[in-house]
Amino acid sequence: MNRRPLIAGNWKMFGLAADLSEMEGLAPHAARLTGLDIVLCPPATLIAQAAWRLKGGVMGLGGQDCAPAQQGPHTGDVSAAMLKDAGAAWVILGHSERRRDHGESDALVRAKADAALAAGLTPILCVGETIEERKAGAADSVVTRQLARSVPDGAPASLVIAYEPVWAIGTGLTPSAAEIVEIHAVVRAALMARFGADGAAMRILYGGSVKPANAGEILALDGVDGALVGAASLKAADFGAIMEAHPAARAGN
Ligand code: PEP
């Protein structure tokens, strides 16, 4: 199955208006690399400005979270419709930092994914095991359980899964190539068992300490449809180099 590669950047809680120039530095890469989808997820406060500055470009914008409710008395929350209205087309959901910092359960992530889909956003839904779970040999079962509980029934083929081992995020550590291939196959099997052809078409990204130096190897791995990039997405030089390291870029598209 030919799945269009996707490289998404997650700025986390970094970035002020002055940093949007870094985003503009990515536009020429995104315009040239027509074989890839490129998405940047800045803080919610910057989405509207970013959308305005990127107008007419091919780079997509996403939020980093959304509320499960459509609207209502939920002070401080941002709804999926608000993200869409600001110019986002995507939203990261269930990131391990939100599961850790805000106690987000799989059920809540699922409700958020439902809200995102209802508002017309494409979820990038994160799953991944802790180091203790990996050491206990439970990585596959943890990820399979997270998928079963957090991906909504009837999820469309456009929904994206990001496999992000918690211990690889922001640590400089990455699983071996064989481990990434193995667990991506586990994710694919679970998606196909539940969603059939749609499950075969869903993209599965790898996330966790992707940087220019390792992007070429990781992005070429069997079953890896792209990457979710944190720290290295903050600088145009690094994020641009990661995009350029994709095999599709080297093949001239
Ligand atoms: C992330 O935040 O999703 C991530 C993968 O972070 P980093 O690339 O910094 O490890």
Side-chain angles (χ1 to χ4, degrees):
M1 156 97 41
N2 235 355
R3 289 176 294 267
R4 187 174 160 82
L6 165 62
I7 300 188
N10 171 16
W11 275 15
K12 314 192 187 206
M13 201 174 73
F14 295 101
L16 301 174
D19 299 303
L20 289 174
S21 55
E22 291 297 330
M23 187 177 300
E24 283 169 336
L26 297 169
H29 296 282
R32 196 180 72 71
L33 301 173
T34 54
L36 308 179
D37 282 342
I38 309 290
V39 173
L40 201 67
C41 303
T45 48
L46 292 181
I47 291 174
Q49 278 188 74
W52 185 76
R53 287 171 71 158
L54 293 175
K55 225 183 175 75
V58 294
M59 209 160 84
L61 287 167
Q64 300 174 12
D65 177 47
C66 72
Q70 284 182 2
Q71 59 177 15
H74 305 292
T75 303
D77 284 356
V78 175
S79 75
M82 290 169 184
L83 293 176
K84 183 100 194 294
D85 189 48
W90 307 76
V91 62
I92 298 170
L93 294 174
H95 191 283
S96 62
E97 287 159 8
R98 290 207 61 84
R99 292 178 188 259
R100 179 197 66 202
D101 297 349
H102 300 275
E104 290 197 3
S105 64
D106 287 326
L108 179 59
V109 174
R110 183 186 184 120
K112 290 181 173 197
D114 274 327
L117 290 166
L121 295 180
T122 299
I124 301 175
L125 198 153
C126 304
V127 296
E129 82 286 356
T130 63
I131 193 64
E132 293 76 22
E133 289 163 341
R134 177 156 284 268
K135 283 185 177 157
D140 292 2
S141 59
V142 166
V143 164
T144 306
R145 188 184 67 229
Q146 288 175 333
L147 288 169
R149 294 182 181 172
S150 58
V151 180
D153 289 336
S158 56
L159 182 133
V160 177
I161 300 296
Y163 165 64
E164 299 206 307
V166 178
W167 51 274
I169 296 179
T171 59
L173 302 172
T174 54
S176 68
E179 286 168 335
I180 294 175
V181 170
E182 191 266 339
I183 201 149
H184 274 240
V186 168
V187 173
R188 177 66 60 205
L191 294 176
M192 288 179 66
R194 185 161 163 214
F195 299 107
D198 284 348
M202 288 173 187
R203 290 175 284 190
I204 307 173
L205 313 183
Y206 167 78
S209 296
V210 175
K211 45 188 185 266
N214 62 17
E217 185 194 357
I218 292 173
L219 292 170
L221 292 174
D222 206 26
V224 173
D225 301 316
L228 179 54
V229 182
S233 70
L234 288 164
K235 292 283 166 218
D238 290 340
F239 199 38
I242 289 171
M243 296 173 199
E244 299 286 347
H246 194 282
R250 281 185 267 130
N253 57 4

